[in-house]
PDB file of all heavy atoms in Angstrom:
ATOM      1  N   LYS A 257       2.935  10.862  31.041  1.00 98.00           N
ATOM      2  CA  LYS A 257       1.567  11.312  31.356  1.00 98.00           C
ATOM      3  C   LYS A 257       1.097  12.381  30.373  1.00 98.00           C
ATOM      4  O   LYS A 257      -0.066  12.369  29.949  1.00 98.00           O
ATOM      5  CB  LYS A 257       1.514  11.860  32.789  1.00 98.00           C
ATOM      6  CG  LYS A 257       1.581  10.766  33.841  1.00 98.00           C
ATOM      7  CD  LYS A 257       1.510  11.358  35.246  1.00 98.00           C
ATOM      8  CE  LYS A 257       1.491  10.231  36.274  1.00 98.00           C
ATOM      9  NZ  LYS A 257       1.441  10.746  37.661  1.00 98.00           N
ATOM     10  N   ASP A 281      19.640   8.717  29.623  1.00 97.00           N
ATOM     11  CA  ASP A 281      19.854   7.267  29.434  1.00 97.00           C
ATOM     12  C   ASP A 281      18.833   6.409  30.181  1.00 97.00           C
ATOM     13  O   ASP A 281      19.159   5.337  30.683  1.00 97.00           O
ATOM     14  CB  ASP A 281      21.279   6.865  29.859  1.00 97.00           C
ATOM     15  CG  ASP A 281      22.321   7.216  28.804  1.00 97.00           C
ATOM     16  OD1 ASP A 281      21.964   7.322  27.623  1.00 97.00           O
ATOM     17  OD2 ASP A 281      23.504   7.389  29.166  1.00 97.00           O
ATOM     18  N   ASN A 282      17.576   6.868  30.258  1.00 97.00           N
ATOM     19  CA  ASN A 282      16.587   6.177  31.084  1.00 97.00           C
ATOM     20  C   ASN A 282      15.959   4.945  30.428  1.00 97.00           C
ATOM     21  O   ASN A 282      15.782   3.927  31.060  1.00 97.00           O
ATOM     22  CB  ASN A 282      15.455   7.130  31.468  1.00 97.00           C
ATOM     23  CG  ASN A 282      15.781   7.906  32.722  1.00 97.00           C
ATOM     24  OD1 ASN A 282      16.394   7.373  33.641  1.00 97.00           O
ATOM     25  ND2 ASN A 282      15.379   9.162  32.764  1.00 97.00           N
ATOM     26  N   GLN A 297       3.226  -2.867  23.753  1.00 98.00           N
ATOM     27  CA  GLN A 297       4.475  -2.203  23.424  1.00 98.00           C
ATOM     28  C   GLN A 297       5.402  -3.126  22.641  1.00 98.00           C
ATOM     29  O   GLN A 297       5.464  -4.316  22.891  1.00 98.00           O
ATOM     30  CB  GLN A 297       5.176  -1.741  24.707  1.00 98.00           C
ATOM     31  CG  GLN A 297       5.624  -2.886  25.622  1.00 98.00           C
ATOM     32  CD  GLN A 297       6.160  -2.382  26.954  1.00 98.00           C
ATOM     33  OE1 GLN A 297       5.507  -1.607  27.665  1.00 98.00           O
ATOM     34  NE2 GLN A 297       7.380  -2.802  27.284  1.00 98.00           N
ATOM     35  N   THR A 299       9.232  -2.777  22.153  1.00 98.00           N
ATOM     36  CA  THR A 299      10.423  -1.971  22.453  1.00 98.00           C
ATOM     37  C   THR A 299      11.632  -2.461  21.660  1.00 98.00           C
ATOM     38  O   THR A 299      11.696  -3.609  21.265  1.00 98.00           O
ATOM     39  CB  THR A 299      10.751  -2.038  23.950  1.00 98.00           C
ATOM     40  OG1 THR A 299      10.786  -3.405  24.362  1.00 98.00           O
ATOM     41  CG2 THR A 299       9.721  -1.294  24.775  1.00 98.00           C
ATOM     42  N   GLY A 319      20.768 -11.872  23.231  1.00 86.00           N
ATOM     43  CA  GLY A 319      20.793 -13.234  22.709  1.00 86.00           C
ATOM     44  C   GLY A 319      20.221 -13.370  21.305  1.00 86.00           C
ATOM     45  O   GLY A 319      20.303 -14.439  20.725  1.00 86.00           O
ATOM     46  N   THR A 323      10.248 -11.594  17.651  1.00 98.00           N
ATOM     47  CA  THR A 323       9.176 -10.934  16.911  1.00 98.00           C
ATOM     48  C   THR A 323       7.862 -11.062  17.677  1.00 98.00           C
ATOM     49  O   THR A 323       7.507 -12.149  18.138  1.00 98.00           O
ATOM     50  CB  THR A 323       9.034 -11.541  15.499  1.00 98.00           C
ATOM     51  OG1 THR A 323      10.295 -11.434  14.840  1.00 98.00           O
ATOM     52  CG2 THR A 323       7.981 -10.804  14.687  1.00 98.00           C
ATOM     53  N   LYS A 325       3.569  -9.840  17.787  1.00 98.00           N
ATOM     54  CA  LYS A 325       2.430  -9.318  17.038  1.00 98.00           C
ATOM     55  C   LYS A 325       1.609  -8.462  17.982  1.00 98.00           C
ATOM     56  O   LYS A 325       1.128  -8.952  19.012  1.00 98.00           O
ATOM     57  CB  LYS A 325       1.596 -10.480  16.494  1.00 98.00           C
ATOM     58  CG  LYS A 325       0.457 -10.045  15.590  1.00 98.00           C
ATOM     59  CD  LYS A 325      -0.266 -11.258  15.023  1.00 98.00           C
ATOM     60  CE  LYS A 325      -1.324 -10.833  14.017  1.00 98.00           C
ATOM     61  NZ  LYS A 325      -2.021 -12.001  13.459  1.00 98.00           N
ATOM     62  N   THR A 327      -1.561  -5.682  18.675  1.00 98.00           N
ATOM     63  CA  THR A 327      -2.815  -5.120  18.171  1.00 98.00           C
ATOM     64  C   THR A 327      -2.727  -3.598  18.259  1.00 98.00           C
ATOM     65  O   THR A 327      -2.385  -3.054  19.304  1.00 98.00           O
ATOM     66  CB  THR A 327      -4.005  -5.623  19.021  1.00 98.00           C
ATOM     67  OG1 THR A 327      -3.943  -7.040  19.059  1.00 98.00           O
ATOM     68  CG2 THR A 327      -5.330  -5.183  18.429  1.00 98.00           C
ATOM     69  N   ARG A 372       9.727  13.848  41.535  1.00 95.00           N
ATOM     70  CA  ARG A 372       9.734  12.790  42.544  1.00 95.00           C
ATOM     71  C   ARG A 372      11.162  12.426  42.938  1.00 95.00           C
ATOM     72  O   ARG A 372      11.399  11.783  43.944  1.00 95.00           O
ATOM     73  CB  ARG A 372       9.086  11.518  41.986  1.00 95.00           C
ATOM     74  CG  ARG A 372       7.751  11.714  41.310  1.00 95.00           C
ATOM     75  CD  ARG A 372       6.623  11.806  42.317  1.00 95.00           C
ATOM     76  NE  ARG A 372       5.333  11.713  41.627  1.00 95.00           N
ATOM     77  CZ  ARG A 372       4.728  10.555  41.360  1.00 95.00           C
ATOM     78  NH1 ARG A 372       5.258   9.420  41.711  1.00 95.00           N
ATOM     79  NH2 ARG A 372       3.560  10.550  40.732  1.00 95.00           N
ATOM     80  N   LEU A 376      21.045  14.822  43.921  1.00 98.00           N
ATOM     81  CA  LEU A 376      21.865  15.353  45.015  1.00 98.00           C
ATOM     82  C   LEU A 376      23.185  15.897  44.491  1.00 98.00           C
ATOM     83  O   LEU A 376      23.664  16.919  44.936  1.00 98.00           O
ATOM     84  CB  LEU A 376      22.118  14.267  46.063  1.00 98.00           C
ATOM     85  CG  LEU A 376      20.863  13.642  46.690  1.00 98.00           C
ATOM     86  CD1 LEU A 376      21.253  12.587  47.716  1.00 98.00           C
ATOM     87  CD2 LEU A 376      19.992  14.709  47.344  1.00 98.00           C
ATOM     88  N   THR A 379      28.716  14.137  39.332  1.00 97.00           N
ATOM     89  CA  THR A 379      30.184  14.185  39.360  1.00 97.00           C
ATOM     90  C   THR A 379      30.746  13.583  38.076  1.00 97.00           C
ATOM     91  O   THR A 379      30.066  12.812  37.399  1.00 97.00           O
ATOM     92  CB  THR A 379      30.742  13.378  40.552  1.00 97.00           C
ATOM     93  OG1 THR A 379      30.204  12.045  40.485  1.00 97.00           O
ATOM     94  CG2 THR A 379      30.354  14.003  41.877  1.00 97.00           C
ATOM     95  N   ARG A 384      40.522   6.657  34.839  1.00 85.00           N
ATOM     96  CA  ARG A 384      41.443   5.518  34.912  1.00 85.00           C
ATOM     97  C   ARG A 384      42.864   6.035  34.944  1.00 85.00           C
ATOM     98  O   ARG A 384      43.180   7.046  34.329  1.00 85.00           O
ATOM     99  CB  ARG A 384      41.262   4.624  33.687  1.00 85.00           C
ATOM    100  CG  ARG A 384      39.935   3.904  33.636  1.00 85.00           C
ATOM    101  CD  ARG A 384      39.900   2.957  32.465  1.00 85.00           C
ATOM    102  NE  ARG A 384      40.714   1.774  32.717  1.00 85.00           N
ATOM    103  CZ  ARG A 384      40.225   0.626  33.170  1.00 85.00           C
ATOM    104  NH1 ARG A 384      38.939   0.516  33.420  1.00 85.00           N
ATOM    105  NH2 ARG A 384      41.014  -0.411  33.371  1.00 85.00           N
ATOM    106  N   VAL A 390      53.078  -1.041  25.276  1.00 97.00           N
ATOM    107  CA  VAL A 390      54.062  -2.122  25.188  1.00 97.00           C
ATOM    108  C   VAL A 390      54.569  -2.191  23.750  1.00 97.00           C
ATOM    109  O   VAL A 390      53.937  -1.676  22.835  1.00 97.00           O
ATOM    110  CB  VAL A 390      53.455  -3.477  25.605  1.00 97.00           C
ATOM    111  CG1 VAL A 390      53.085  -3.481  27.077  1.00 97.00           C
ATOM    112  CG2 VAL A 390      52.235  -3.818  24.748  1.00 97.00           C
ATOM    113  N   GLU A 403      52.057  -9.282  35.633  1.00 93.00           N
ATOM    114  CA  GLU A 403      51.790  -8.010  36.314  1.00 93.00           C
ATOM    115  C   GLU A 403      50.296  -7.903  36.659  1.00 93.00           C
ATOM    116  O   GLU A 403      49.922  -7.740  37.818  1.00 93.00           O
ATOM    117  CB  GLU A 403      52.208  -6.855  35.395  1.00 93.00           C
ATOM    118  CG  GLU A 403      52.318  -5.515  36.090  1.00 93.00           C
ATOM    119  CD  GLU A 403      52.863  -4.458  35.137  1.00 93.00           C
ATOM    120  OE1 GLU A 403      54.099  -4.353  34.999  1.00 93.00           O
ATOM    121  OE2 GLU A 403      52.042  -3.751  34.518  1.00 93.00           O
TER     122      GLU A 403
ATOM    123  N   ASN B 293      12.517  -3.689  29.468  1.00 98.00           N
ATOM    124  CA  ASN B 293      11.255  -3.754  28.735  1.00 98.00           C
ATOM    125  C   ASN B 293      10.052  -3.615  29.670  1.00 98.00           C
ATOM    126  O   ASN B 293       9.179  -2.780  29.441  1.00 98.00           O
ATOM    127  CB  ASN B 293      11.197  -5.086  27.979  1.00 98.00           C
ATOM    128  CG  ASN B 293       9.998  -5.198  27.062  1.00 98.00           C
ATOM    129  OD1 ASN B 293       9.581  -4.216  26.459  1.00 98.00           O
ATOM    130  ND2 ASN B 293       9.449  -6.387  26.961  1.00 98.00           N
ATOM    131  N   ASP B 303       2.471   4.361  39.462  1.00 98.00           N
ATOM    132  CA  ASP B 303       2.598   5.818  39.484  1.00 98.00           C
ATOM    133  C   ASP B 303       3.855   6.262  40.236  1.00 98.00           C
ATOM    134  O   ASP B 303       3.812   7.157  41.078  1.00 98.00           O
ATOM    135  CB  ASP B 303       1.345   6.474  40.097  1.00 98.00           C
ATOM    136  CG  ASP B 303       1.329   7.980  39.876  1.00 98.00           C
ATOM    137  OD1 ASP B 303       1.895   8.435  38.855  1.00 98.00           O
ATOM    138  OD2 ASP B 303       0.777   8.708  40.736  1.00 98.00           O
ATOM    139  N   SER B 308      16.899   3.976  36.469  1.00 98.00           N
ATOM    140  CA  SER B 308      17.476   3.018  35.521  1.00 98.00           C
ATOM    141  C   SER B 308      18.962   2.828  35.744  1.00 98.00           C
ATOM    142  O   SER B 308      19.677   3.779  36.080  1.00 98.00           O
ATOM    143  CB  SER B 308      17.284   3.524  34.083  1.00 98.00           C
ATOM    144  OG  SER B 308      15.923   3.622  33.770  1.00 98.00           O
ATOM    145  N   ILE B 329      28.139  11.049  36.524  1.00 97.00           N
ATOM    146  CA  ILE B 329      27.563  10.109  37.472  1.00 97.00           C
ATOM    147  C   ILE B 329      26.630  10.891  38.392  1.00 97.00           C
ATOM    148  O   ILE B 329      27.080  11.838  39.052  1.00 97.00           O
ATOM    149  CB  ILE B 329      28.674   9.432  38.320  1.00 97.00           C
ATOM    150  CG1 ILE B 329      29.741   8.791  37.418  1.00 97.00           C
ATOM    151  CG2 ILE B 329      28.073   8.403  39.277  1.00 97.00           C
ATOM    152  CD1 ILE B 329      29.271   7.630  36.590  1.00 97.00           C
ATOM    153  N   THR B 331      23.970  11.198  41.605  1.00 98.00           N
ATOM    154  CA  THR B 331      23.464  10.608  42.844  1.00 98.00           C
ATOM    155  C   THR B 331      22.058  11.149  43.037  1.00 98.00           C
ATOM    156  O   THR B 331      21.861  12.362  43.099  1.00 98.00           O
ATOM    157  CB  THR B 331      24.358  11.000  44.032  1.00 98.00           C
ATOM    158  OG1 THR B 331      25.696  10.590  43.727  1.00 98.00           O
ATOM    159  CG2 THR B 331      23.908  10.316  45.310  1.00 98.00           C
ATOM    160  N   ASP B 336       9.506   8.453  46.124  1.00 97.00           N
ATOM    161  CA  ASP B 336       8.371   7.567  45.868  1.00 97.00           C
ATOM    162  C   ASP B 336       8.249   6.493  46.953  1.00 97.00           C
ATOM    163  O   ASP B 336       9.256   6.034  47.488  1.00 97.00           O
ATOM    164  CB  ASP B 336       8.527   6.892  44.503  1.00 97.00           C
ATOM    165  CG  ASP B 336       8.076   7.782  43.356  1.00 97.00           C
ATOM    166  OD1 ASP B 336       7.063   8.489  43.534  1.00 97.00           O
ATOM    167  OD2 ASP B 336       8.724   7.781  42.301  1.00 97.00           O
ATOM    168  N   MET B 370      -3.485  -8.179  23.589  1.00 97.00           N
ATOM    169  CA  MET B 370      -2.976  -7.201  22.625  1.00 97.00           C
ATOM    170  C   MET B 370      -1.617  -7.564  22.041  1.00 97.00           C
ATOM    171  O   MET B 370      -1.231  -7.074  20.998  1.00 97.00           O
ATOM    172  CB  MET B 370      -2.845  -5.832  23.296  1.00 97.00           C
ATOM    173  CG  MET B 370      -4.116  -5.343  23.965  1.00 97.00           C
ATOM    174  SD  MET B 370      -3.808  -3.832  24.889  1.00 97.00           S
ATOM    175  CE  MET B 370      -2.658  -4.388  26.138  1.00 97.00           C
ATOM    176  N   ARG B 375       7.927 -15.327  17.085  1.00 97.00           N
ATOM    177  CA  ARG B 375       9.115 -16.185  16.909  1.00 97.00           C
ATOM    178  C   ARG B 375      10.336 -15.504  17.501  1.00 97.00           C
ATOM    179  O   ARG B 375      10.314 -14.320  17.818  1.00 97.00           O
ATOM    180  CB  ARG B 375       9.359 -16.480  15.428  1.00 97.00           C
ATOM    181  CG  ARG B 375       9.659 -15.236  14.617  1.00 97.00           C
ATOM    182  CD  ARG B 375      10.019 -15.548  13.163  1.00 97.00           C
ATOM    183  NE  ARG B 375      10.167 -14.297  12.436  1.00 97.00           N
ATOM    184  CZ  ARG B 375       9.172 -13.698  11.783  1.00 97.00           C
ATOM    185  NH1 ARG B 375       7.968 -14.242  11.759  1.00 97.00           N
ATOM    186  NH2 ARG B 375       9.375 -12.558  11.163  1.00 97.00           N
ATOM    187  N   THR B 379      20.938 -16.267  18.767  1.00 84.00           N
ATOM    188  CA  THR B 379      22.290 -16.397  18.248  1.00 84.00           C
ATOM    189  C   THR B 379      22.989 -17.528  18.991  1.00 84.00           C
ATOM    190  O   THR B 379      23.069 -17.512  20.215  1.00 84.00           O
ATOM    191  CB  THR B 379      23.064 -15.076  18.440  1.00 84.00           C
ATOM    192  OG1 THR B 379      22.255 -14.016  17.939  1.00 84.00           O
ATOM    193  CG2 THR B 379      24.375 -15.105  17.712  1.00 84.00           C
ATOM    194  N   GLN B 439      27.006   1.923  24.906  1.00 90.00           N
ATOM    195  CA  GLN B 439      25.850   2.587  25.516  1.00 90.00           C
ATOM    196  C   GLN B 439      24.544   1.983  25.014  1.00 90.00           C
ATOM    197  O   GLN B 439      23.601   1.813  25.778  1.00 90.00           O
ATOM    198  CB  GLN B 439      25.881   4.082  25.170  1.00 90.00           C
ATOM    199  CG  GLN B 439      24.771   4.891  25.811  1.00 90.00           C
ATOM    200  CD  GLN B 439      24.718   6.311  25.260  1.00 90.00           C
ATOM    201  OE1 GLN B 439      25.262   6.595  24.199  1.00 90.00           O
ATOM    202  NE2 GLN B 439      24.084   7.197  25.992  1.00 90.00           N
ATOM    203  N   LYS B 465      34.264   0.701  30.067  1.00 93.00           N
ATOM    204  CA  LYS B 465      35.378   1.347  30.761  1.00 93.00           C
ATOM    205  C   LYS B 465      35.487   1.002  32.244  1.00 93.00           C
ATOM    206  O   LYS B 465      36.435   1.405  32.904  1.00 93.00           O
ATOM    207  CB  LYS B 465      35.370   2.853  30.532  1.00 93.00           C
ATOM    208  CG  LYS B 465      34.238   3.626  31.121  1.00 93.00           C
ATOM    209  CD  LYS B 465      34.413   5.093  30.720  1.00 93.00           C
ATOM    210  CE  LYS B 465      33.157   5.891  30.919  1.00 93.00           C
ATOM    211  NZ  LYS B 465      32.692   5.922  32.287  1.00 93.00           N
ATOM    212  N   SER B 467      35.886  -2.106  33.072  1.00 96.00           N
ATOM    213  CA  SER B 467      36.637  -3.368  33.068  1.00 96.00           C
ATOM    214  C   SER B 467      37.885  -3.196  33.934  1.00 96.00           C
ATOM    215  O   SER B 467      38.450  -2.112  34.015  1.00 96.00           O
ATOM    216  CB  SER B 467      37.069  -3.731  31.642  1.00 96.00           C
ATOM    217  OG  SER B 467      35.943  -3.757  30.790  1.00 96.00           O
ATOM    218  N   TYR B 487      47.158  -1.420  29.001  1.00 98.00           N
ATOM    219  CA  TYR B 487      48.254  -1.845  28.137  1.00 98.00           C
ATOM    220  C   TYR B 487      47.859  -1.589  26.693  1.00 98.00           C
ATOM    221  O   TYR B 487      46.828  -2.079  26.230  1.00 98.00           O
ATOM    222  CB  TYR B 487      48.557  -3.335  28.324  1.00 98.00           C
ATOM    223  CG  TYR B 487      48.897  -3.690  29.757  1.00 98.00           C
ATOM    224  CD1 TYR B 487      47.983  -4.374  30.553  1.00 98.00           C
ATOM    225  CD2 TYR B 487      50.121  -3.319  30.314  1.00 98.00           C
ATOM    226  CE1 TYR B 487      48.283  -4.685  31.865  1.00 98.00           C
ATOM    227  CE2 TYR B 487      50.434  -3.619  31.628  1.00 98.00           C
ATOM    228  CZ  TYR B 487      49.506  -4.301  32.408  1.00 98.00           C
ATOM    229  OH  TYR B 487      49.799  -4.594  33.694  1.00 98.00           O
ATOM    230  N   GLY B 488      48.656  -0.810  26.016  1.00 98.00           N
ATOM    231  CA  GLY B 488      48.368  -0.506  24.626  1.00 98.00           C
ATOM    232  C   GLY B 488      49.459  -1.075  23.732  1.00 98.00           C
ATOM    233  O   GLY B 488      50.646  -1.016  24.065  1.00 98.00           O
TER     234      GLY B 488
END
Side-chain angles (χ1 to χ4, degrees):
Chain A
K257 286 181 176 179
D281 282 335
N282 273 323
Q297 65 187 53
T299 51
T323 304
K325 185 176 185 180
T327 307
R372 311 279 192 88
L376 302 180
T379 54
R384 292 185 74 96
V390 294
E403 195 175 275
Chain B
N293 186 36
D303 192 29
S308 297
I329 306 294
T331 304
D336 278 321
M370 306 173 296
R375 63 175 175 269
T379 310
Q439 183 189 18
K465 67 182 164 60
S467 305
Y487 303 106

